[in-house]
Every structure is written in structure tokens, then in C-alpha cells.
Amino acid sequence: MRLSRFFMPILRETPKEAEIVSHRLMLRAGMLRQETAGIYAWLPLGLRVLNKINAIIREEQNRAGAIEMLMPTIQPADLWRESGRYDDYGKEMLRIEDRHEREMLFGPTNEEMVTEIFRAYVRSYKDLPLNLYHIQWKFRDEVRPRFGVMRSREFLMKDAYSFDLDQAGAEHSYARMFTAYLRTFARMGLKAIPMRADTGPIGGNLSHEFIILASTGESEVFCHKDFLQFDTPAADIDFDDSRAMAAVVDKWTSRYAATSEMHDAAAFEALAEGERVSARGIEVGHIFYFGTKYSQPMRAVVNGPDGKETFVHMGSYGIGPSRLVAALIEANHDDAGIVWPRSVAPFDVGLANLKVGDAATDAACQDLYEKLSSAGVDVLYDDRDERPGAKFATLDLIGLPHQLIVGPKGLAEGKVEVKDRRTGARETLSPEEALNRLAARGDS
């Protein structure tokens, strides 16, 4: 992509309304624009990151056996009356009427709708277990939306819903998603720690929040230091093996970990001083097992092995991709801007032409651009007629993993420069060496 043809409205000044790092940097880097309180337009750079995150989530959900579908944003109020949540949910639910005065709502979550879909088609225990997920926009009318997309009113959500014959099967489904979440966040360069959590309006009696530690986190969390060294489950782990899944959960719940709402000060203080970690944290995922909370009032039943009707056991599993963009920035930034992990970066390489209009420099940049693109490396080519300092500042701000800097002085000696955005390390290489180096990193 040529930057001269890309829509990326960089802001030089930090907007006054931006209270936290991720909000400031997302606005400055031209990733999004606020349209009204808590509602944002995702601009091309931000959308590329969002799509990278969604791709990782999909791969890990599919690997764990979940099946993707897509439910609508607008839901009939009658479904929520069936479950008993319509009046209980509160003012966060945006209630509307259509032209025929039918009561509708903009979905804040999808337990009712997916249960209605399940009961319409599934009749036998032989069709279980089943896990359906989608990635869809949600709306919750927050009383005080703030911190950009960290706490917005409209947000993108991946929610999965499991259906099982009994509690044992449901716990296996829960463990599958628990494992998939650990892998999902690790692939984004995040160490997410599962912590016992309050079930809130979703309901149920088993729930974990997945928390990343960040100095700018929204709340205080407490955990054992061992979590920081735990290995992520391998890609070839067998999700059908209930013992393997249970072992993952047992390991990742074997140490103390709690959000401030669930914190047991006495239990935490009982740990050795060197084992205690007290830090700020950001929630990036939340999973629930709630048994028959929805299947009973909504009559979601299957015929069991004995021929009798049985209420299915359910769980729900949420990740907020739009929130994750902000969380990733909170965990990956420096004074100059964002520092993206490669797996979610909007582009792999930023190619800076320091002398646009110079025949040799233009030719070298065009050659590198074409060859890197052909090698599968996603390149943002800064071909604007701007000062070098402005180009360096832009590339540092948007945080692409690698910068390839090409200028007439270096080319006269047969050299270009490659900069690692995270470490700041610079290498002076021949164009061919730079091409090979960046193409190899693109494959990793």
C-alpha cells in the first residue's frame, strides 16, 4: 500500500478528550474517529488491526471445535422476556420500537437468541456437544463511556455459546474455550491470566476473566508470579481429550489469581512475599458456565439416551476484539507511539523513501516494494514528498514492526537501513540482504 493513496489522517496534537494512552495513540495515528459519545468509526489503519485480531480469534475458535455463524444486531424483546432478563438488564439495554410498534432491542449479548436458534433445530443428544460463535457488533448504553474503545457503547464482540447434555460435558466445553483463550491471547503477544470472576448479569456459578497486566490497567488485580512463566498450550493439543483439557484448567487455576471484586486479602497475604504480584490489569476475555439458566425458561431440551427430555447445559465465552486493540496498545507502546506485535500489526514493514523524486531512490524503493509484496510481506510504502523527520515520526507513531529506510546517501554506498521498532536496533544492509531478512521475518 502506498501511503500517498492510503487514508490515514495523522493528528499532530493529542485530543483533549483522550484520557489514556491507547485512546490518544489511536486518535493520533488515524485509527478511528469518535462520532458521538462511546461510538467510533474505524478508519482503515484501525480496521486492518481489528481484522488481524479477528482472524486469530477465528482460527483458535475453529481449532477448538466452535462453528461460526452470524446473528443480527436487533433482537425481539419477547425473547428476553422468556428468559426473564428484559426488565432485569437495566438501562444499559437500548430498547426501541419498529414502525409496527413491536418492542425490539439492540443486542448487548446473545444468550437468548442463540438458545432460540438451538431449540428450533436440535432435538437429540446425538447432536451434542455443540458450540456456536459469531463476531458481531453489540451496544450497551454505558452511563459514562470513556477511555476510547476500552469502554465504549458500541463494540465488536466474539461470543461463543456451548450446548451439552450434562454438567460433565459442559465442563469439557468450558475447558476447551479456556484453552483456546490462552492460545488466542498468546498469539497476539499477550500473557493473559485467568482469574475467578463475578458472573454479573450473564448468570451462572463458574466464570473466569482473562486479564493482561498493564501499568495503565483499569483495575487492580492480584496473582501468583508463576503465571508469568507458564507455557501456553501447544497448537497440537487434543481438544477432544477431556483429561488434557482439564489438566490445562487445573494448571492455570492452581495458583492464586483474583480481580479486586473477588480478592481474598488473607489468602493473598499467605503467599510468600516474593510470590505476590499486585498490579493493574485489563480484562480481554470472559467465560461463563451457567448450566440450565437459559435452557429451562426457554425450553431448550434434547431427547437423552433414555428417551427423556433433558434441559441442555450451556456456557458463553466472550472476547472483545475492538477492546483488544486498545489493550494491545496499552501493553505495547513507548514515548514515540505504538509498538505492534507482528501478528496484529496493520502492516509488516514501513518503507520510507527519503528522497522522493530522486531517480535512483525511487527505483530502489519500487523494486523493494514489489519484491517484498511478492514475498507475502505487507508493506506500507511512504512515497510522500515529506521531510525524513516527518516520515520517521509517522512510522514510529503507527508502530509497524520493521522500518526499511532508503535514501540517496546510503544507496550511493549500496546500502539501506532496517530498523526494529520494538528494540530500536538498526542494521545497515545491501538491498538484497534487507529483502531476504524482511522476507524471512515475514514467514516467521
Side-chain angles (χ1 to χ4, degrees), residues 124-229:
S124 171
Y125 75 96
K126 295 179 181 179
D127 296 320
L128 303 180
L130 180 65
N131 189 320
L132 301 173
Y133 81 96
H134 73 161
I135 299 176
Q136 178 62 289
W137 292 96
K138 301 285 194 295
F139 187 92
R140 294 177 189 169
D141 200 3
E142 294 277 355
V143 65
R144 189 185 168 206
R146 54 190 176 139
F147 304 150
V149 295
M150 191 73 78
R151 190 177 293 277
S152 56
R153 292 196 292 167
E154 185 182 59
F155 54 95
L156 191 62
M157 195 76 180
K158 186 288 302 183
D159 29 353
Y161 301 94
S162 62
F163 301 86
D164 286 275
L165 181 64
D166 52 27
Q167 182 173 342
E171 289 178 353
H172 183 193
S173 292
Y174 188 93
R176 282 173 178 259
M177 289 292 101
F178 188 105
T179 303
Y181 274 37
L182 292 172
R183 286 193 42 77
T184 297
F185 300 127
R187 287 185 57 188
M188 298 177 194
L190 298 173
K191 173 69 76 171
I193 301 171
M195 301 188 179
R196 283 295 296 268
D198 184 19
T199 58
I202 302 296
N205 55 13
L206 176 60
S207 176
H208 285 90
E209 289 181 7
F210 287 76
I211 303 290
I212 64 168
L213 305 184
S215 60
T216 52
E218 57 198 331
S219 60
E220 192 170 11
V221 296
F222 308 85
C223 68
H224 195 290
K225 72 170 186 177
D226 285 358
F227 283 110
L228 305 180
Q229 280 79 45

Side-chain angles (χ1 to χ4, degrees), residues 211-402:
I211 303 290
I212 64 168
L213 305 184
S215 60
T216 52
E218 57 198 331
S219 60
E220 192 170 11
V221 296
F222 308 85
C223 68
H224 195 290
K225 72 170 186 177
D226 285 358
F227 283 110
L228 305 180
Q229 280 79 45
F230 278 178
D231 292 330
T232 305
D236 62 353
I237 192 168
D238 185 357
F239 282 91
D240 291 328
D241 185 339
S242 58
R243 290 185 178 180
M245 293 296 99
V248 171
V249 175
D250 289 345
K251 175 181 177 179
W252 285 84
T253 57
S254 63
R255 306 286 191 273
Y256 184 87
T259 60
S260 56
E261 294 84 0
M262 305 291 284
H263 182 48
D264 181 339
F268 185 65
E269 291 299 323
L271 301 177
E273 183 175 355
E275 297 174 341
R276 297 195 296 263
V277 175
S278 174
R280 308 298 294 180
I282 300 172
E283 178 192 342
V284 290
H286 203 162
I287 62 177
F288 305 83
Y289 162 62
F290 39 69
T292 59
K293 175 181 170 65
Y294 298 93
S295 60
Q296 282 197 355
M298 297 186 70
R299 295 293 303 170
V301 297
V302 295
N303 292 319
D306 57 2
K308 296 180 179 179
E309 287 190 341
T310 301
F311 291 110
V312 293
H313 286 243
M314 294 175 58
S316 71
Y317 316 92
I319 293 176
S322 53
R323 178 185 177 87
L324 257 175
V325 178
L328 280 157
I329 295 172
E330 293 292 334
N332 296 276
H333 68 272
D334 58 21
D335 292 341
I338 304 166
V339 186
W340 290 115
R342 186 192 171 278
S343 61
V344 296
F347 296 92
D348 302 322
V349 175
L351 170 60
N353 183 336
L354 301 188
K355 189 70 173 179
V356 173
D358 177 79
T361 308
D362 289 349
C365 285
Q366 184 63 29
D367 184 61
L368 287 165
Y369 177 57
E370 292 176 355
K371 288 178 177 176
L372 283 169
S373 298
S374 296
V377 179
D378 210 353
V379 183
L380 180 63
Y381 175 21
D382 191 345
D383 59 341
R384 301 170 301 158
D385 188 12
E386 290 276 0
R387 295 177 296 103
K391 296 191 174 192
F392 297 151
T394 295
L395 289 177
D396 281 347
L397 174 63
I398 66 175
L400 309 185
H402 303 288

